[in-house]
Amino acid sequence: MAGGSGTEVVNPVKRCFLFLYGVKFPKEAVIKRILVVDDEEDVRKFTKNILQRAGYWVQTAGNGEEALEILRKAAPVALIILDIQMPEMNGYTFISELRKIEDQQSTPIIV
């Protein structure tokens, strides 16, 4: 991290990988909300665990419909980690519907 300011915003994906390599972040670092959308519960739990240990607030959803419901009721998220092949609503349809939500139109998505 750069010296001087004391607080640095680190992109969520970079921060997660840095955490896996043992880099520690100060308590003042900005905590971002991440939504993990995957139909496999083990994948959701594993991803949530890693991200929480890296200091992120994480919500999970089992399909696109559940994720949209969460996003319509809560504050915008900083990042969405998305599975493409899911029952009920696949990742492509989810992205299309997500872009209709004003607060989430530019949210980064990792597929």
Side-chain angles (χ1 to χ4, degrees):
M1 298 210 310
S5 71
T7 301
E8 182 174 339
V9 177
V10 178
N11 121 8
V13 176
K14 182 178 178 184
R15 181 178 172 134
C16 179
F17 285 111
L18 290 173
F19 173 79
L20 292 174
Y21 287 106
V23 176
K24 297 201 187 261
F25 292 87
K27 292 253 184 217
E28 305 86 43
V30 177
I31 295 177
K32 301 264 184 169
R33 293 180 60 235
I34 298 175
L35 177 62
V36 177
V37 187
D38 197 301
D39 58 318
E40 295 185 37
E41 185 176 2
D42 290 344
V43 172
R44 289 192 312 267
K45 285 182 179 181
F46 175 77
T47 306
K48 180 177 181 176
N49 186 351
I50 289 173
L51 292 169
Q52 284 181 327
R53 289 175 48 200
Y56 291 97
W57 189 86
V58 182
Q59 274 189 283
T60 63
N63 61 58
E65 288 179 6
E66 186 180 336
L68 287 173
E69 185 71 23
I70 289 169
L71 292 169
R72 288 184 179 118
K73 291 181 178 179
V77 297
L79 175 70
I80 297 170
I81 300 175
L82 177 67
D83 182 18
I84 289 295
Q85 295 182 333
M86 298 180 290
E88 297 180 43
M89 180 185 286
N90 67 35
Y92 298 115
T93 305
F94 169 78
I95 292 170
S96 177
E97 293 298 315
L98 173 73
R99 296 306 182 209
K100 295 176 185 176
I101 301 173
E102 188 174 327
D103 291 344
Q104 298 290 173
Q105 292 176 346
S106 61
T107 301
I109 301 170
I110 297 176
V111 178

